[in-house]
Amino acid sequence: MNIRFKNNRKSIRLENYDYSSAGAYFVTICSQIRDTNWFGTVTRDGMQLNEAGQMILKTWNEIPQFYPRIQIDTFIIMPDHIHGIIIIEPHQKPVGEDPRVLPAQANSIGNLAIGESGQTQGSVPTDVDVLSLSEVMQRFKSLTTNLYIRGVRDSGWESFEKRLWESSFHDSIIRDEVHFEKTKKYILENPRRWLEARGNL
C-alpha cells in the first residue's frame, strides 16, 4: 500500500486541509435516527444485513468503479451507522481521457442526478480526478438515500422522516501504517462492542 500519510487531529473537518489530497481516511456515517435496525441486526455471529444493508454494501463496493483515484479498504455496516476506510491515491490524469466527464450511468455513485430527497436533479459534469472526500461521501449518501426510498416504496422497508443519514459525516486522517492497522481492528470489532454495550455477550 503506497500512501502519503498526513498528520491529523480529530474533527468533522480539518480547517484548510485539502480533502482531495492523497492519503487514507477513516469515515463514519450515521443514520439521522439512531438505535434503529435500518440495515440489519447484530448477533453473536456478527452483523446480519437486511436488504437495505445489502444495498449499502453493494453501493460502497462500487465506489472505485467511478472514481479513478479512490480505493476502499476495511468496511462494516452496523444497524444505524457505517465505518470504512477510503484511500485517495496520488493524482494521475489518464492519458488521452477527459477526467471532467462522468460516466453516463443513471442511479450510479458517479452521477449527480440524485439528491438527498431522492429527486432527480440532472447530471453535472465534474472533474472526478480531484473530487474531495466530502463530495464522494455526499454522493454515496444521496444515492443510498434514493435507493432506500425505492425500497420503502417497492419492498416495504422501514420508512424514515426527512433524512436517512445525518447531514455530515465524521472522518479522521490515518497517519501511518500503525494507525491504519488500529483503525482496521476498530472497524472489525464493532459488532462485538455493540453486543457488549447492550449486555448481549
Side-chain angles (χ1 to χ4, degrees), residues 29 31 34-57 75-83 148 165 186-195 198 201:
I29 308 177
S31 61
R34 303 297 301 274
D35 297 320
T36 299
N37 294 330
W38 299 111
F39 311 128
T41 58
V42 181
T43 71
R44 293 187 179 184
D45 294 326
M47 180 66 189
Q48 307 301 314
L49 298 177
N50 57 20
E51 289 184 346
Q54 292 169 11
M55 175 272 291
I56 297 293
L57 179 61
F75 176 65
I76 196 163
I77 302 169
M78 299 299 291
D80 61 2
H81 65 279
I82 65 173
H83 293 300
Y148 193 100
W165 303 107
Y186 174 84
I187 293 171
L188 294 173
E189 290 181 349
N190 256 254
R192 178 182 58 78
R193 287 195 302 274
W194 179 277
L195 292 179
R198 290 156 179 76
L201 271 183

